[in-house]
């Protein structure tokens, strides 16, 4: 199996695991949205740890995929997370996948297939230097701070921050993976240790930001995470790691068309109908006062007046 096919296969399994984790997080967020949930409250919840385990397994598969494929190939495949999450969420909610969601799935897969043609390349060899990694981390932290500042309403801004954090974590992870396995230097070199700590920080931050974003529902926030993640990683890969799209100008045009198709499909997938229980709650009429009319009683004859007679 070629490096590209192995990267694609690992990315597919990773996307399914991420989808299951996202559905679990959304269900937990929906249950705790009005309960003033905090980090400590989540740490005592079994479903939270289940989602953490799923995210960790998906992350390990993602790391393996980054070893065999470039960022411009592996990261766009993260859109398959939404493709898998929609039918999974529909099954748990007890409904059927809609025709619009099937169209979104088809467009997303077509767009990703186009991107695979142009983004396919050899296994990565370049890494971020320590100054480059620190500069990327500083700029990303500032950007995330602006999006998730105190008082911001949970939703698309937190989802965008989560996607950027996860995309940067993936780019830094590729640096750690390549640097630790190229056997040209010590395994615990300063570059590897520092960048690994940055990966842990951004991965944890992305997880907590997504949990906050999902309080308003899964569709639109997950779509924003799905779109922001590959954009952030692709910027780093193309600008700092020397990655290139295949096919020259034609390849760039083809990749742009694929990105538009995939984005359109992702947006269609966000239009998820409300679960049946929620729809029934919203459509339930307010209780009205009930007037009970009793049947009329039959008329009784009036009693004759009492007459006293003298003896």
């Amino acid at each position: 199996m070629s490096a590209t096919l192995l990267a694609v296969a690992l990315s597919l399994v990773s996307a399914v695991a991420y989808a299951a984790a996202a559905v679990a997080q959304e269900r937990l967020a929906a249950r705790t949205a009005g309960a003033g949930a905090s980090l400590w409250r989540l740490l005592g919840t079994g479903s939270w740890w289940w989602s953490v385990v799923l995210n960790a397994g998906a992350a390990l598969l993602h790391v393996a995929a980054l070893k065999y494929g470039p960022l411009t190939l592996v990261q766009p495949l993260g859109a398959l997370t939404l493709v898998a999450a929609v039918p999974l969420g529909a099954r748990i909610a007890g409904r059927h996948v809609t025709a619009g969601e099937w169209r979104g799935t088809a467009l997303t897969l077509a767009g990703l297939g186009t991107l695979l043609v142009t983004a396919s390349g050899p296994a990565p060899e370049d890494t971020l230097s320590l100054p480059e990694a620190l500069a990327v981390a500083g700029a990303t932290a500032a950007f995330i701070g602006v999006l998730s500042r105190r008082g911001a309403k949970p939703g698309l801004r937190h989802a965008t921050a989560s996607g950027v954090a996860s995309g940067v974590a993936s780019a830094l992870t590729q640096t750690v993976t390549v640097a630790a396995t190229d056997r040209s230097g010590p395994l615990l070199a300063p570059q590897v240790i520092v960048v690994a700590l940055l990966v842990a920080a951004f991965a944890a931050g992305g997880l907590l930001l997504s949990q906050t974003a999902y309080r308003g529902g899964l569709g639109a926030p997950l779509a924003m995470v799905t779109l922001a993640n590959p954009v952030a990683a692709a910027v780093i890969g193309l600008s700092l790691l020397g990655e290139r799209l295949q096919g020259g100008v034609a390849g760039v045009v083809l990749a742009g068309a694929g990105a538009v198709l995939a984005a359109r499909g992702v947006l269609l997938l966000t239009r998820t109908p409300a679960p049946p229980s929620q729809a029934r709650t919203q459509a339930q009429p307010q209780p009205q006062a009930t007037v009970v009319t009793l049947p009329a009683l039959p008329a009784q004859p009036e009693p004759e007046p009492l007459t006293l007679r003298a003896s």
Side-chain angles (χ1 to χ4, degrees):
M1 181 181 293
S2 67
T4 297
L5 290 178
L6 184 56
V8 171
L10 291 170
S11 297
L12 292 178
V13 182
S14 175
V16 173
Y18 273 129
V23 172
Q25 283 184 270
E26 188 270 339
R27 289 172 61 82
L28 176 61
R31 290 199 304 267
T32 60
S38 62
L39 176 59
W40 297 113
R41 183 183 179 88
L42 292 175
L43 291 177
T45 306
S47 55
W48 161 257
W49 287 108
W50 172 241
S51 70
V52 170
V53 170
L54 285 172
N55 272 302
L60 290 176
L61 293 168
H62 187 71
V63 169
L66 289 171
K67 169 62 180 174
Y68 297 102
L71 284 168
T72 50
L73 169 67
V74 174
Q75 291 305 117
L77 291 175
L80 294 174
T81 297
L82 188 57
V83 173
V86 167
L88 182 59
R91 180 176 179 82
I92 293 177
R95 64 174 182 84
H96 296 290
V97 179
T98 65
E101 289 169 342
W102 284 123
R103 286 196 298 271
T105 299
L107 287 174
T108 302
L109 293 176
L112 291 177
T114 304
L115 286 172
L116 289 178
V117 175
T118 60
S120 300
E125 297 179 357
D126 293 339
T127 61
L128 295 174
S129 65
L130 186 56
E132 288 175 337
L134 292 174
V136 168
T140 303
F143 183 64
I144 291 175
V146 171
L147 290 176
S148 57
R149 62 185 180 274
R150 184 180 297 274
K153 183 179 179 180
L156 295 183
R157 283 192 293 179
H158 285 80
T160 303
S162 174
V164 171
S166 300
V168 172
S170 294
L172 297 175
T173 297
Q174 188 178 72
T175 288
V176 173
T177 304
V178 174
T181 57
D182 65 356
R183 304 181 185 277
S184 62
L187 179 62
L188 298 180
Q191 178 194 23
V192 175
I193 296 174
V194 173
V195 177
L197 292 175
L198 292 175
V199 169
F202 281 114
L207 179 63
L208 294 175
L209 286 166
S210 65
Q211 180 67 58
T212 301
Y214 294 155
R215 290 180 185 175
L218 183 63
L222 182 56
M224 188 58 69
V225 171
T226 303
L227 293 174
N229 186 314
V231 169
V235 168
I236 296 174
L238 293 173
S239 61
L240 297 177
L241 294 176
E243 296 183 2
R244 295 290 182 269
L245 297 175
Q246 307 297 316
V249 176
V252 173
V253 174
L254 191 61
V260 171
L261 281 177
R264 175 60 179 166
V266 166
L267 292 177
L268 283 176
L269 288 173
T270 63
R271 299 173 183 175
T272 304
S277 58
Q278 182 179 351
R280 286 195 298 268
T281 300
Q282 294 173 351
Q284 183 176 3
Q286 296 296 324
Q288 302 291 332
T290 303
V291 179
V292 179
T293 304
L294 298 176
L297 297 175
Q300 299 293 332
E302 294 184 1
E304 297 181 356
L306 182 62
T307 305
L308 298 178
R309 297 180 180 178
S311 55

